[in-house]
Amino acid sequence: MTELLQNCFIVANENQVDYFCEKIFFMNGDPAVYETLKTLNIPFEYLEHPPAPTIEIAKQYWYGHDAQHCKNLFFRNHKGNRHYLVIFDCDKNLAIHDIEKMLKQGKLTFASEQRMQRYLGLKPGSVSAFGLIHDTDKHVHVFIDTNLQKATKISFHPNDSTASLIISFADFLKYMGWTGNGYEFIDLY
């Protein structure tokens, strides 16, 4: 967490100088995420960690937290005119061909870095449901694994892989409703 000292006051007498400062902390991640959570009155737990662009790396820093951590994959269809965010348990592995069959959207490929930036405002390694904040045209359709409904809490990067946020599953649904993006639950495994 980065610390900034602000509103400092100096009190001096002949023998001593004291500094009194208000500490302000900045959380890693997209400020729009924090502003949205504040607007929606969604509380969260904040975990700061070194860059964790993959689930394998991120797992090192999630130990001891009771949230279901999510894997987020961003796809495009064969024509490139439809985009999908698929959210599921980070401990599960799914082959792209299996996902194609389950989603019934035709041939899928991972979306390029340019598409990720265009539709979610994100870079590889930081894909998150919170990227939908930047999808002002509501272009991205979201598929959420039905097994996540069993979780009390889930976690995502705040659009930056140097932190993770934990929110309740009920608040996640509240957030999804706010985004206006289409979403549906699907049995992925």
Side-chain angles (χ1 to χ4, degrees):
M1 197 173 303
T2 305
E3 182 179 321
L4 173 68
L5 299 179
Q6 187 171 323
N7 299 331
C8 292
F9 303 94
I10 300 171
V11 177
N13 62 36
E14 15 181 281
N15 300 323
Q16 184 175 343
V17 176
D18 292 320
Y19 296 90
F20 297 95
C21 300
E22 176 183 325
K23 291 182 181 180
I24 299 175
F25 295 95
F26 293 95
M27 291 178 275
N28 294 349
D30 184 345
V33 172
Y34 299 107
E35 195 58 40
T36 300
L37 295 177
K38 180 180 175 185
T39 298
L40 295 174
N41 198 26
I42 295 177
F44 60 87
E45 294 175 54
Y46 174 83
L47 306 173
E48 185 170 322
H49 46 70
T54 67
I55 292 295
E56 292 72 27
I57 295 170
K59 281 183 179 182
Q60 298 172 48
Y61 309 111
W62 291 338
Y63 185 77
H65 296 280
D66 61 347
Q68 175 58 64
H69 303 288
C70 297
K71 187 179 286 189
N72 304 270
L73 301 178
F74 188 52
F75 296 105
R76 58 167 267 205
N77 67 353
H78 183 67
K79 292 182 183 179
N81 62 347
R82 301 202 59 193
H83 293 80
Y84 311 98
L85 180 63
V86 180
I87 303 170
F88 59 100
D89 180 339
C90 75
D91 291 320
K92 302 294 182 184
N93 289 312
L94 297 170
I96 193 167
H97 298 295
D98 295 335
I99 293 174
E100 287 174 345
K101 290 175 190 172
M102 288 180 257
L103 301 186
K104 299 176 182 160
Q105 301 296 314
K107 183 170 171 42
L108 299 176
T109 58
F110 286 104
S112 67
E113 185 174 346
Q114 293 79 13
R115 288 172 188 269
M116 196 177 296
Q117 181 64 44
R118 177 178 175 194
Y119 294 108
L120 299 176
L122 300 176
K123 295 179 181 176
S126 62
V127 175
S128 163
F130 292 129
L132 297 170
I133 290 169
H134 302 292
D135 184 17
T136 56
D137 294 331
K138 314 305 176 206
H139 178 79
V140 177
H141 187 80
V142 182
F143 291 97
I144 305 166
D145 180 56
T146 56
N147 291 296
L148 291 178
Q149 294 178 95
K150 298 173 191 170
T152 305
K153 298 177 186 176
I154 59 176
S155 75
F156 300 95
H157 288 311
N159 298 344
D160 180 312
S161 71
T162 61
S164 297
L165 300 182
I166 299 171
I167 62 174
S168 74
F169 189 78
D171 282 337
F172 169 66
L173 293 180
K174 180 180 181 181
Y175 164 76
M176 287 302 300
W178 174 86
T179 67
N181 289 76
Y183 72 92
E184 60 191 273
F185 290 95
I186 187 167
D187 290 315
L188 291 176
Y189 43 88

